[in-house]
Amino acid sequence: MENIISTPSNLKIALVQTDLVWENPIVNKEQITKLLGSIAKNDVDLIILPEMWSTGFSMNADLLAEEMNGASLKFMAELAAQKDAVVTGSLIIRVDTGEFYNRLFWVKPNAEYEYYDKRHLFSLAKEEKVYTAGTARLIVNLKGWRICPLICYDLRFPVWSRNRNEYDLLIYVSNWPERRSFAWKQLLIARAIENQAMVAGVNRVGLDGNGVTHTGDSIVLGPAGETLGAAKQGESELLQVDLSYDELKKFRTSFSFLADADNFDLKS
């Protein structure tokens, strides 16, 4: 983890809302590279890709899983170095024990990385039959911002994202379907308000291999649930937003609700 800066500066983030070609990492890398073509080195601090950005939300892990030193993680590291920015997003990963994970990587420009394994596996798609659930959250630091990255279905479970003054920015990378887009929008707002944090929700667009349509609705919210930036519905787009730490601090000082929150321990 990087050293914490005493006075956090503004954070420039870029959300990659893209149409993921089903189970085709090569084409998806090409599309992401093209979308990010307008970003020069040092233009942004953080680039956020969707859930399973290289394949789409597939249960075909036997065919698609990569090792920890696989081509897609190397792509993220190369992208981070080129843009001098952290790159995050999830991939299908096979570990030495043979288990599969929906694993989010936090990749730095120097190629160092940390990762988070999706805690809540989507039972409607039988994700839990294929992948192993994670057991621990990841809190990372970037320019003094404390950041908690989570994955898609985690959004429905507020206990897992509960902020005990541990983070300033909450991220969800997703393949969230159009038919439940109302829930996506409302739950993101709720997570921002209840945790008094900035929230970035990054979702894909397009039709996946199961015939499920996604409209994106990628968005960045402030701690009162207000919209700071939103992508066009249903279109591939790069959404760039500058986050003000001073505004976040001012809001938390004026409305110190986190100090009144219930204490609890998550047992499992």
Side-chain angles (χ1 to χ4, degrees), residues 9 41 117 130 155 185 243:
S9 57
K41 194 169 187 176
D117 293 325
V130 179
L155 177 60
K185 296 170 188 175
L243 302 181

Side-chain angles (χ1 to χ4, degrees), residues 234-249:
E235 296 183 20
S236 290
E237 182 183 351
L238 182 67
L239 173 65
Q240 293 180 247
V241 180
D242 289 357
L243 302 181
S244 169
Y245 190 86
D246 286 343
E247 290 301 315
L248 175 62
K249 183 178 179 181

